[in-house]
Amino acid sequence: MENITGLTPLKQPIVFELEGFDVPPGYGSLLFILALFDYILVLLANGVVVFVIIIDKNLHRPMFILICHLVACDLLGGTAVLPRLMMHFLMGQKKIAYASAIAQAYSVHVYGTAVQTILGVMAYDRYVAVCEPLRYLTIMTSARLHTSCALAWMVSFILMAALFSFHINVPLCGTTIQHVYCSNRSILRLACSPTPISNIYGLALVWTVNTSVFLIVAFSYFRILHSSLKQRRVDSSINSKAFWTCASHLSIYVTYVTAVVVVILSYRFPSLSKNIKKFLSILVFIIPCAINPIIYGLFSKELRASIVKNLSTQARRKQ
């Protein structure tokens, strides 16, 4: 929707109305159950991963600590969107207060940025683990690891804070957000006049973060591949070890990027219905947040063994 002009600016308290999905009569309860199931899966799967990593001292290593940070991202993204989506399906709730809308939009954007910055740190960690195995603990010290994670989060919070600072003193002349959830762009589309500075900053931000993380991941895996091929002559098991070391990270990165690309491409096909476009737009919160813990378990033998061991122990105690 274009910016709204020629109208009287709204005064606080402003209450927006999300357009949401066009739910056919009788399907609201079914969609609520599906959204609830996905959210329970997100909470349960990520919760089990964090619980096992915390209680198993053998997993107190950089790779698993980074997984905990990625779990925090998944919980943030899922919680930002799914609970309100469930309310929409079950009760038809579409109204959202201005402060809540800004909070949801900020959380959504922090999630999208933090996932990438943390995946960038994980790519560097995997590069050091494969290419510098003897110096790994010397390079990835506890202080360096926690500093890198803190910077990944700080970059996300600060960049998004700067983005949302453009909302200050911007008069709004509309209340209907034509989306399933609130975002920076969907709110500023309701401004009484164009917001070119915010548009330019937002595009520059997306391009810079995406490109920077892609270059870090590409460089890391180029070096990993080069190192693996070089050492293959000495030890034929090197490639296998490198694969299992990097498979979970690369799978998560590809899953996230694929979900984002699907969202972008969906807007290039005008023939798609609004419901399909809206559904594709929330895939980035539904799929990565739910399947990332499964990916950790599939590719990390230590984590999988620890999960099975601890769950078996808990089951025996209950008996």
Side-chain angles (χ1 to χ4, degrees):
M1 187 173 73
E2 300 295 331
N3 286 335
I4 302 172
T5 57
L7 298 177
T8 303
L10 301 173
K11 295 181 180 180
Q12 294 290 357
I14 298 174
V15 178
F16 296 117
E17 182 170 344
L18 288 164
E19 187 179 66
F21 287 99
D22 182 15
V23 181
Y27 282 84
S29 298
L30 175 61
L31 294 173
F32 166 77
I33 292 172
L34 293 175
L36 177 62
F37 174 78
D38 184 69
Y39 189 48
I40 291 174
L41 181 60
V42 170
L43 295 178
L44 185 61
N46 285 286
V48 168
V49 169
V50 171
F51 174 75
V52 169
I53 292 175
I54 290 174
I55 65 175
D56 191 341
K57 292 184 179 180
N58 294 324
L59 300 181
H60 292 184
R61 303 204 304 273
M63 181 175 72
F64 298 104
I65 292 173
L66 286 167
I67 286 176
C68 286
H69 284 274
L70 206 56
V71 165
C73 284
D74 291 337
L75 292 174
L76 174 64
T79 303
V81 172
L82 290 173
R84 185 163 291 277
L85 189 61
M86 288 187 284
M87 292 174 62
H88 165 51
F89 289 143
L90 185 64
M91 300 180 291
Q93 177 62 264
K94 294 185 177 182
K95 294 187 180 299
I96 180 171
Y98 179 83
S100 298
I102 294 294
Q104 184 186 49
Y106 183 75
S107 299
V108 164
H109 288 289
V110 167
Y111 159 74
T113 308
V115 165
Q116 296 190 72
T117 54
I118 291 172
L119 284 172
V121 176
M122 291 181 78
Y124 174 73
D125 173 73
R126 295 300 82 204
Y127 156 68
V128 176
V130 174
C131 299
E132 300 287 347
L134 300 179
R135 300 175 55 214
Y136 178 67
L137 294 178
T138 303
I139 297 174
M140 288 302 293
T141 61
S142 178
R144 183 167 295 174
L145 171 66
H146 293 305
T147 299
S148 299
C149 293
L151 283 174
W153 282 103
M154 286 176 61
V155 166
S156 304
F157 283 117
I158 292 173
L159 290 178
M160 291 307 110
L163 179 65
F164 279 82
S165 67
F166 293 108
H167 288 262
I168 299 174
N169 298 325
V170 172
L172 302 177
C173 293
T175 58
T176 302
I177 295 176
Q178 295 188 339
H179 211 325
V180 180
Y181 59 86
C182 301
S183 65
N184 171 68
R185 195 66 242 141
S186 65
I187 294 175
L188 286 184
R189 280 177 180 171
L190 303 177
C192 300
S193 58
T195 54
I197 297 178
S198 174
N199 295 342
I200 294 171
Y201 176 83
L203 290 173
L205 176 61
V206 170
W207 187 89
T208 302
V209 172
N210 290 345
T211 303
S212 299
V213 173
F214 173 78
L215 290 176
I216 291 172
V217 173
F219 170 79
S220 298
Y221 280 96
F222 173 79
R223 293 298 302 271
I224 288 170
L225 180 62
H226 180 267
S227 177
S228 298
L229 293 175
K230 188 177 180 180
Q231 298 179 38
R232 186 180 180 183
R233 301 172 184 175
V234 180
D235 187 350
S236 60
S237 66
I238 289 292
N239 283 352
S240 177
K241 293 177 181 177
F243 171 78
W244 288 108
T245 300
C246 304
S248 59
H249 170 265
L250 194 58
S251 298
I252 291 168
Y253 180 73
V254 170
T255 300
Y256 177 79
V257 170
T258 301
V260 172
V261 170
V262 168
V263 174
I264 295 172
L265 290 178
S266 67
Y267 289 98
R268 301 295 183 270
F269 294 91
S271 59
L272 290 177
S273 69
K274 284 189 175 181
N275 270 354
I276 292 178
K277 288 183 180 179
K278 290 171 184 176
F279 173 72
L280 294 176
S281 73
I282 62 174
L283 285 181
V284 71
F285 305 101
I286 294 176
I287 295 180
C289 297
I291 71 170
N292 283 350
I294 299 173
I295 293 174
Y296 309 146
L298 286 176
F299 291 105
S300 175
K301 295 179 181 179
E302 293 172 279
L303 180 59
R304 184 169 65 249
S306 184
I307 290 173
V308 172
K309 176 184 175 182
N310 283 282
L311 290 179
S312 300
T313 302
Q314 293 296 325
R316 284 196 299 269
R317 286 179 181 176
K318 290 181 179 180
Q319 291 175 356

